[in-house]
Amino acid sequence: MLCRMSAPLKVCIVGSGNWGSAIARIIGTNVQKVPKFAPTVNMWVYEETVNGKKLTDIINTEHENVKYLPGYKLPHNVVAIPTLKDAAKDADVLVFVVPHQFIRKLCDEMVGTVSRRALGISLIKGIDEGPEGLKLISDIIREKMGIDVSVLMGANIANEVAAEKFCETTIGSRNKENGLLFKELLQTPNFRIAVVDDADTVELCGALKNIVAVAAGFCDGLNCGDNTKAAVIRLGLMEMIAFAKLFSKDGSVSSATFLESCGVADLITTCYGGRNRKVAEAFVKTGKSIEELEKEMLNGQKLQGPQTSAEVYHILKQKDMVDKFPLFTGVYQICYEEKPVQEVISCLQCHPEHM
């Protein structure tokens, strides 16, 4: 087990968007205080040109991700590296924070550069639709790279974390010792971490709440009011719990996990403050497509809710269970099948919870 290996442990952050840069602020500061971690942190940055300069050069000279997290300085010991293999070479600890649709390709690139004794933690909120059905992002990393993977999910809007406003988060780890190592790497006085062993449920919460947030955004766009939005949140949570129980590998899903930050707290935060809610509201008010709005509103960031709804819908269709998840299904149909957005209310009125 890695935490028994000799320190210092080399940390690599795979990703450098809004959330990745916020986390880099925490990790860069913490490794300087904890001797078991090496004092320099590699951060893989997808190379882009910003105002005629390479983004990696800007980060390494100005110590700020001016595109994805402007206004917040990164510690000087966080080094931006444009080549993934170079960033991850000989890393002991990998922190994955990229859009979920890219994870397979990135893992393939890293195979052979990272020891199988390394540990990973995924901050990626999404799931994958494999040929056999549901595939967790942590499972993809685990299988492709042969390493143990924990997950971190919670009510953690990146700019608020970067501003050091108090919040909570949840680490799910099948191995408690590994979860505690990541807690040591990531916890601060204003970023409080609970470690639980129900890792799959923690990860599913992080993915599924984005679908519910899209429905909440539709309600905002339709000016439905807070009562309707509260119904979306409650019924969405019920579908999250039902989905987790349905697709649990061993049938063991703890209801208590949904009361952690990864569950109800993240759901509420995302339905009121997240990018999925914001873009879904604009979808109603402007009549533009999700793709157009993503480009216009997110400054290069990716939207997870609509794509996750598509993956969930295809999985439910395989299982002939679409009718049992009307909110998840309705979001998919509105985003991809031109179902009128007003139909989101029908999804609430005809929900099995009301039958």
Side-chain angles (χ1 to χ4, degrees):
M1 195 167 305
L2 182 55
C3 28
R4 292 179 186 158
M5 290 173 60
S6 59
L9 306 175
K10 292 176 64 176
V11 179
C12 171
I13 303 171
V14 181
S16 57
N18 186 235
W19 186 210
S21 297
I23 283 295
R25 280 171 53 84
I26 290 175
I27 292 175
T29 300
N30 281 358
V31 297
Q32 296 177 71
K33 301 174 184 175
V34 184
K36 72 171 60 171
F37 298 110
T40 299
V41 176
N42 287 355
M43 180 171 72
W44 174 66
V45 175
Y46 178 77
E47 192 69 281
E48 301 177 65
T49 302
V50 180
N51 299 325
K53 296 180 182 177
K54 291 180 178 179
L55 183 55
T56 51
D57 289 342
I58 295 171
I59 291 172
N60 289 332
T61 56
E62 299 179 22
H63 305 289
E64 182 180 342
N65 190 333
V66 296
K67 179 163 186 181
Y68 296 110
L69 194 68
Y72 296 99
K73 292 295 183 182
L74 297 172
H76 287 212
N77 60 323
V78 175
V79 180
I81 299 175
T83 306
L84 181 56
K85 280 191 173 184
D86 292 341
K89 184 173 171 55
D90 299 325
D92 300 302
V93 175
L94 292 158
V95 180
F96 294 89
V97 55
V98 293
H100 78 277
Q101 53 266 43
F102 302 135
I103 194 62
R104 289 180 182 275
K105 176 178 178 291
L106 296 177
C107 285
D108 287 340
E109 286 183 37
M110 281 186 284
V111 170
T113 65
V114 177
S115 166
R116 285 179 175 263
R117 292 177 298 175
L119 293 181
I121 188 166
S122 171
L123 281 61
I124 300 169
K125 295 182 175 179
I127 56 174
D128 192 70
E129 176 204 347
E132 68 286 347
L134 175 71
K135 198 83 167 172
L136 297 174
I137 301 304
S138 62
D139 283 337
I140 295 172
I141 300 169
R142 218 173 265 120
E143 290 170 12
K144 284 188 169 287
M145 301 191 65
I147 64 175
D148 185 73
V149 184
S150 301
V151 296
L152 180 147
M153 306 284 155
N156 309 139
I157 292 175
N159 285 63
E160 294 184 12
V161 173
E164 300 180 17
K165 295 181 179 179
F166 179 83
C167 69
E168 300 175 313
T169 198
T170 311
I171 287 177
S173 186
R174 297 175 184 177
N175 182 303
K176 186 74 177 283
E177 195 174 349
N178 295 346
L180 292 173
L181 178 81
F182 282 115
K183 180 174 180 175
E184 202 169 359
L185 176 67
L186 290 160
Q187 182 163 267
T188 75
N190 287 320
F191 191 68
R192 308 305 293 175
I193 297 171
V195 179
V196 302
D197 60 8
D198 192 8
D200 289 356
T201 304
V202 172
E203 187 168 1
L204 277 173
C205 283
L208 298 174
K209 57 95 185 185
N210 283 328
I211 306 176
V212 186
V214 173
F218 291 157
C219 288
D220 288 343
L222 293 168
N223 296 314
C224 292
D226 285 339
N227 292 340
T228 306
K229 196 164 171 178
V232 166
I233 292 171
R234 189 188 78 81
L235 294 169
L237 180 61
M238 298 306 294
E239 290 195 14
M240 288 169 59
I241 294 170
F243 190 93
K245 288 181 176 177
L246 186 63
F247 291 95
S248 168
K249 294 184 184 74
D250 55 8
S252 60
V253 172
S254 170
S255 297
T257 304
F258 292 94
L259 298 178
E260 296 288 348
S261 181
C262 62
V264 67
D266 195 10
L267 179 60
I268 292 168
T269 297
T270 308
C271 286
Y272 278 91
R275 72 184 73 155
N276 289 279
R277 186 220 63 80
K278 183 180 176 183
V279 172
E281 180 181 15
F283 175 82
V284 179
K285 291 184 172 178
T286 66
K288 295 180 180 179
S289 70
I290 293 290
E291 292 75 16
E292 287 177 285
L293 292 167
E294 184 182 61
K295 289 175 184 174
E296 286 179 17
M297 299 174 67
L298 298 185
N299 190 34
Q301 297 176 81
K302 294 296 180 183
L303 201 64
Q304 300 297 314
Q307 184 162 344
T308 303
S309 78
E311 288 153 351
V312 165
Y313 177 78
H314 296 141
I315 291 165
L316 291 172
K317 201 169 182 183
Q318 283 178 9
K319 303 283 188 183
D320 195 28
M321 301 204 68
V322 167
D323 292 344
K324 295 189 181 299
F325 294 85
L327 192 65
F328 288 175
T329 300
V331 168
Y332 165 75
Q333 291 173 334
I334 291 166
C335 289
Y336 293 102
E337 294 186 348
E338 299 184 355
K339 185 173 184 174
V341 72
Q342 293 79 5
E343 292 294 306
V344 72
I345 305 304
S346 301
C347 300
L348 308 179
Q349 293 168 334
C350 302
H351 202 279
E353 280 285 300
H354 296 148
M355 298 302 182

